[in-house]
Amino acid sequence: MTDSSSRLAEQLSKHFGDSLQNVTLAVGEVTVQVAPEELLAVATALRDDEAFAFEMLIDLCGVDYAGYGKDEWTTEASSGTGFSRGVEAETEGRLKAVTEDLVVEKPLAAQRFAVVYHLLSLSKNRRLRLRVYAAGDALPMVPSVITVWNNADWYEREAFDLFGILFDGHPDLRRLLTDYGFIGHPFRKDFPLSGNVEVIYDAEKKRVVYQPVSIEPRVLVPKVIRAAKPAAEEAPATGEAVE
C-alpha cells in the first residue's frame, strides 16, 4: 500500500507540476491540494487520464478550519486545580452565550473553508484525497464538479447547507438537510450549539411556529475548582487509623 501510494504521489507531482499546491503522503494515503481556478482541469485529468483513472467520486465534504490546531484542554494530565476548559474558551463559538469575560477572541485561519473530495479508481484499486480551499471566508466559493462527477450534486448541496460553501456552476444549489427557513449553517464552528430558533406547537394559533431558542446556555464540561491540601491536613485529627 505504501509503495503504491508513493508511486501515485510521484506520478501526480510529475504530471501536474505547478498546478498542485502540494502533495502529501501520510499513513499510506495521498492528499493533493489545488487552487479553485485549477480544480476543474485537475479533476477532469484525474478522471480521464489512463495513468490515474479516478472515475468515481466516493464523497465530498466541507471543512471549517476556524480554530484549527488550538485546544481548549491544554493539560496533558489531570491536576488538582480544576478544569481549565470550563473557564477559558480556546476555539471559536464556545461559551459565547455564558458571559463576555469567558470569551477569548482568536483570529480565524488564513483559509477557513475547504472542500475535500475522496476519489476511487476502480480499475487501479487506489484512492486519492483532493482538497481545495475556498477563496473567501465571508462568501466561500469553489467551482462545482458536477460536470466531472455528476453524483456530486447532493454532496455539494449538503456542503452548502451545513457549511455555507457556494459551488459555482451548480444547477440547483439549495438546502438539503435543514428546513427552508433555517438560519445559518450548523456545521460552522461559530454556529451556536443550541441553535438560533426552535419549533413549537402554538395552541392559540393552532399551528407549528418558530420562536427564539429557549435553551439556557451552559458550560458542557465540569467546572470544578479543587483546593490542594497537604496530606497532613487530610489525616483524621484524632490520629486514629483509618480502616
Side-chain angles (χ1 to χ4, degrees):
M1 180 64 180
T2 302
D3 293 339
S4 175
S5 299
S6 299
R7 289 195 300 270
L8 175 59
E10 293 175 2
Q11 286 178 314
L12 291 166
S13 298
K14 183 177 180 180
H15 184 277
F16 292 103
D18 294 338
S19 296
L20 304 182
Q21 293 179 328
N22 64 55
V23 180
T24 305
L25 175 62
V27 294
E29 299 178 349
V30 181
T31 302
V32 297
Q33 181 175 314
V34 299
E37 58 270 18
E38 298 286 350
L39 175 60
L40 290 180
V42 171
T44 302
L46 289 173
R47 182 196 63 184
D48 296 341
D49 196 306
E50 294 183 359
F52 305 112
F54 287 103
E55 62 269 20
M56 178 176 288
L57 172 66
I58 298 177
D59 192 18
L60 179 159
C61 60
V63 183
D64 183 355
Y65 284 100
Y68 180 74
K70 302 171 185 175
D71 292 328
E72 290 180 348
W73 196 297
T74 57
T75 57
E76 296 181 357
S78 59
S79 65
T81 59
F83 293 86
S84 62
R85 183 180 179 185
V87 179
E88 298 179 1
E90 292 291 339
T91 56
E92 294 293 330
R94 290 281 188 172
L95 309 179
K96 287 188 176 181
V98 182
T99 54
E100 290 297 328
D101 61 328
L102 292 183
V103 178
V104 179
E105 296 294 338
K106 297 290 182 179
L108 298 178
Q111 294 175 298
R112 176 177 174 182
F113 295 103
V115 180
V116 179
Y117 308 81
H118 298 272
L119 310 180
L120 172 65
S121 172
L122 296 172
S123 57
K124 299 184 180 299
N125 189 28
R126 59 187 183 184
R127 300 170 186 266
L128 176 67
R129 184 183 298 110
L130 177 64
R131 178 171 59 196
V132 56
Y133 281 93
D137 294 344
L139 195 67
M141 181 181 295
V142 299
S144 172
V145 295
I146 285 184
T147 56
V148 183
W149 299 287
N150 58 12
N151 67 318
D153 185 357
W154 281 23
Y155 291 144
E156 291 181 347
R157 285 180 58 188
E158 180 183 36
F160 161 69
D161 190 359
L162 301 179
F163 290 93
I165 300 173
L166 301 173
F167 293 87
D168 187 23
H170 192 288
D172 186 25
L173 192 62
R174 53 194 169 94
R175 290 188 180 272
L176 180 68
L177 300 177
T178 59
D179 198 4
Y180 295 108
F182 193 86
I183 300 174
H185 303 281
F187 276 15
R188 287 191 174 190
K189 296 291 182 64
D190 53 5
F191 187 82
L193 297 180
S194 57
N196 294 305
V197 296
E198 63 185 14
V199 181
I200 66 166
Y201 178 77
D202 191 310
E204 295 182 359
K205 297 180 180 180
K206 296 183 179 180
R207 63 182 176 87
V208 173
V209 298
Y210 288 93
Q211 68 177 20
V213 65
S214 59
I215 300 174
E216 181 182 355
R218 59 190 176 89
V219 178
L220 299 179
V221 294
K223 182 180 178 181
V224 182
I225 306 300
R226 301 185 183 92
K229 296 182 179 180
E233 295 183 10
E234 296 178 356
T238 58
E240 297 177 358
V242 179
E243 295 182 359

